[in-house]
Amino acid sequence: MKHVSPLPAYLVKRYRGWKATSFAENRAWYRHLADEGQHPRAMIISCCDSRVHVTAIFGADQGEFFIHRNIANLVPPYEPDGNQHGTSAAVEYAVTALKVAHILVVGHSNCGGVKGCLDMCSGHAPELEQKSSFVGRWMDILRPGYERVQDIEDLEDRRKALEKEAVLVSLDNLMTFPFVKQAVEEGKLTLHGLWNDIGEGGVSEYIPEDKVFRPV
Amino acid sequence: MKHVSPLPAYLVKRYRGWKATSFAENRAWYRHLADEGQHPRAMIISCCDSRVHVTAIFGADQGEFFIHRNIANLVPPYEPDGNQHGTSAAVEYAVTALKVAHILVVGHSNCGGVKGCLDMCSGHAPELEQKSSFVGRWMDILRPGYERVQDIEDLEDRRKALEKEAVLVSLDNLMTFPFVKQAVEEGKLTLHGLWNDIGEGGVSEYIPEDKVFRPV
Amino acid sequence: MKHVSPLPAYLVKRYRGWKATSFAENRAWYRHLADEGQHPRAMIISCCDSRVHVTAIFGADQGEFFIHRNIANLVPPYEPDGNQHGTSAAVEYAVTALKVAHILVVGHSNCGGVKGCLDMCSGHAPELEQKSSFVGRWMDILRPGYERVQDIEDLEDRRKALEKEAVLVSLDNLMTFPFVKQAVEEGKLTLHGLWNDIGEGGVSEYIPEDKVFRPV
Amino acid sequence: MKHVSPLPAYLVKRYRGWKATSFAENRAWYRHLADEGQHPRAMIISCCDSRVHVTAIFGADQGEFFIHRNIANLVPPYEPDGNQHGTSAAVEYAVTALKVAHILVVGHSNCGGVKGCLDMCSGHAPELEQKSSFVGRWMDILRPGYERVQDIEDLEDRRKALEKEAVLVSLDNLMTFPFVKQAVEEGKLTLHGLWNDIGEGGVSEYIPEDKVFRPV
């Protein structure tokens, strides 16, 4: 496996710094987590985007949140076809094995995946329509959302609306999983939809009664 | 969408605390990230496990790492079949759009997904063998790794070895993606395999010459 | 004193968030409390259990309740023997110095201390019967309550009944303190017995006429 | 038991408000806590004083902290004499049954118990020296601390110093418990000393190297 390289020095340095400070000060907690296992209270589904740190926003410490991150924080519909569904596996594990009490779907501003979806659905990104485009096929999950925002004239507004649709489509798809639906109906699980404005540090949450996202 | 609930108060409190302190102190940087887009240096593929905070270990700040997290930090093989492959989409976006310089695959100790795979492959978890088990189907990716560790007698040792195989299988699979292979061969991308011992705060990296993981 | 460690970073973060938000918004009230002293209206005696937040249940703000928390919310009988009695000291201070108007004894479901007492009294926890077991000796206070519930057949019912006995035994013991008895008889102090069902969010109160706990 | 009274109406109202709002929104989490038990990360030992809300300061939510509150946040020395030691029982349960990773001893400004100790030790409170004074006997735990501060001239400074001694004496006494000492030495438990300035919203922590409390 000659294609594997040594860890870059800047990461080695940072790791050593962490080990000598944060880890050293919290050794007892890490020991506890290793010995006693994890009991996270919530699952968070957010984007891979390097600018979205839900751990920072919610002051998350080791052991608190089970976190799945993918492009555009999407959850596909329930499809038990024997294929590999990484997101569905994460949801299944969180709900049936860890029995988390909440699932938070966290979208964000300036999302590259959502922008790609917008370009693709409006015919401006033929490369994403190829069968061989993993990003294109992944963003297909958001097509139903595109239909609801395509008439918004201002491009910036349309993009923001589609970022929020990514949250709503995922919340809807979550309810197609039998074990999610059951846990929600039994009052053991709650679902939450959030959208993070990176530049403003804002967090809005979806208010189902009013069908809008409103600042927390 | 009446199944969506308001954000729990403890998270609202934490968010407000973050907004008034960390965000307020770094407003300029968040503004910059929103206006100029992300330019992450590396992609990290790690587990959803709540105890694994690579952002902490590598002192990651907003904007530095494009992070994909799934069960057991797995990458499936290249399979451009038109289906939804969330992990492959994340890798494609990181390498072809963001042009990251490194991909780090980070495994860890006490991994619940790997333990499930071990139980399944050794015949002790029939429920994971069902077509309808998303976790089971997802962990199928690691079956080739199981074959290489099944003769290790001590159960604890076998589990650790399989956790490391999860990293190696993923690194091998990464090279089956044409755009990854090309970037690696052109010297534009390096791949790295790590394993984090949660309780000890240890990080080992794969040394291809010696075919072992060695403490950083 | 080299065994003292720095505060974990996640608590430092949370403290800073609180200081910049809740504290900043209520600075005048904190100033007032510091300058004028405390004048709590009630004393609450509840369990150390992390799941029982009487401050949340009763919307307590800074300055309202004088709160003593111990294992299983127990009050020992009056015993002025010159030894250290932390609970008795708290009751004495609340009644004679602060002159609180109410004492609430708050029991709860799934109480680990009560479960230990049940195991011990029924002969299933010899380790708790050791002279050196602080938990065992502390739970001795509840032995008179065990005698009243030991004939309840269903184990779950027996445990719940003993949790309520922990409240009743404590209320009885409170009346053995001369200063409590006098204040109650002079109409300056009222005593209240509550039991909190954690999972249901229920609060029941003891109705002396009917000798039962009834939902509030 | 005719000395038990109905819950005051203002508390009934508050409880109903909580049930209909906070509880309703977090029902899933309460259900989880009831079904799965508590796994608190830390034990907090703080004063009964109504003005000290460590739950607020550290944004504690249900399930996070095992909290013991007594007069002046004191821990007596290890004394396995078969008597009832509520504080020792709480420490034993937290360390041996719950295996918490941290114990925080939190003192505070304007502490009435500490003021009583100062008066008593300097001969100005003969009533506290009675064998029958529970507060006096409880505050005896702090006598070793008084000796270290008695030469501070300014009364206000002397009181503050003794409030901090209450934290230090407790930390020392904690280490006399064999199970605390062992867990600390094995790196499974850390001890922390804090002092909260109520009016300023300040939190200082004890720095063993410098033998001072310093703002967090």
Side-chain angles (χ1 to χ4, degrees), chain B residues 3-212:
Chain B
H3 56 271
V4 178
S5 303
L7 194 62
Y10 83 107
L11 293 178
V12 174
K13 252 187 258 168
R14 289 203 198 169
Y15 160 64
R16 288 191 180 143
W18 169 81
K19 181 85 185 282
T21 55
S22 296
F23 176 77
E25 291 156 15
N26 291 287
R27 184 182 290 275
W29 178 237
Y30 283 99
R31 188 72 268 149
H32 178 98
L33 284 174
D35 293 348
E36 308 295 327
Q38 62 173 331
H39 297 89
R41 177 163 171 182
M43 176 186 198
I44 292 181
I45 297 171
S46 75
C47 187
C48 301
D49 193 300
S50 64
R51 298 167 297 177
V52 179
H53 271 207
V54 287
T55 47
I57 292 177
F58 293 123
D61 208 42
Q62 275 69 8
E64 287 197 294
F65 299 112
F66 185 78
I67 301 176
H68 173 61
R69 296 179 68 170
N70 64 35
I71 302 260
N73 37 271
L74 291 175
V75 178
Y78 178 67
E79 215 173 351
D81 55 7
N83 286 327
Q84 285 151 1
H85 294 281
T87 298
S88 303
V91 171
E92 181 184 276
Y93 192 79
V95 175
T96 67
L98 299 174
K99 300 186 195 309
V100 296
H102 321 295
I103 298 180
L104 283 73
V105 179
V106 187
H108 70 98
S109 63
N110 313 94
C111 182
V114 168
K115 190 181 170 305
C117 180
L118 204 60
D119 293 345
M120 176 177 71
C121 293
S122 57
H124 294 100
E127 73 284 6
L128 289 176
E129 299 191 55
Q130 305 294 316
K131 188 180 153 192
S132 60
S133 166
F134 292 112
V135 171
R137 298 299 58 71
W138 180 248
M139 295 309 302
D140 278 341
I141 298 171
L142 185 49
R143 273 188 197 270
Y146 174 73
E147 280 156 34
R148 288 192 288 270
V149 306
Q150 60 182 318
D151 294 334
I152 298 176
E153 264 187 49
D154 182 77
L155 186 64
E156 179 76 4
D157 287 351
R158 205 187 311 150
R159 192 152 59 82
K160 276 191 190 174
L162 192 54
E163 286 163 2
K164 289 168 182 170
E165 282 296 332
V167 175
L168 299 180
V169 164
S170 294
L171 287 167
D172 271 340
N173 287 344
L174 275 172
M175 287 297 278
T176 65
F177 288 75
F179 45 84
V180 171
K181 187 159 186 286
Q182 189 185 344
V184 169
E185 287 173 357
E186 288 176 353
K188 293 180 171 167
L189 174 67
T190 58
L191 306 183
H192 309 269
L194 302 173
W195 179 80
N196 170 222
D197 182 320
I198 291 175
E200 297 300 322
V203 170
S204 301
E205 68 171 323
Y206 185 68
I207 311 291
E209 292 74 27
D210 307 335
K211 302 193 179 189
V212 293

Side-chain angles (χ1 to χ4, degrees), chain D residues 133-151:
Chain D
S133 166
F134 291 113
V135 172
R137 298 299 57 70
W138 179 248
M139 295 308 305
D140 279 342
I141 298 170
L142 186 50
R143 272 187 197 271
Y146 175 74
E147 280 156 35
R148 289 192 288 269
V149 307
Q150 61 183 316
D151 294 334

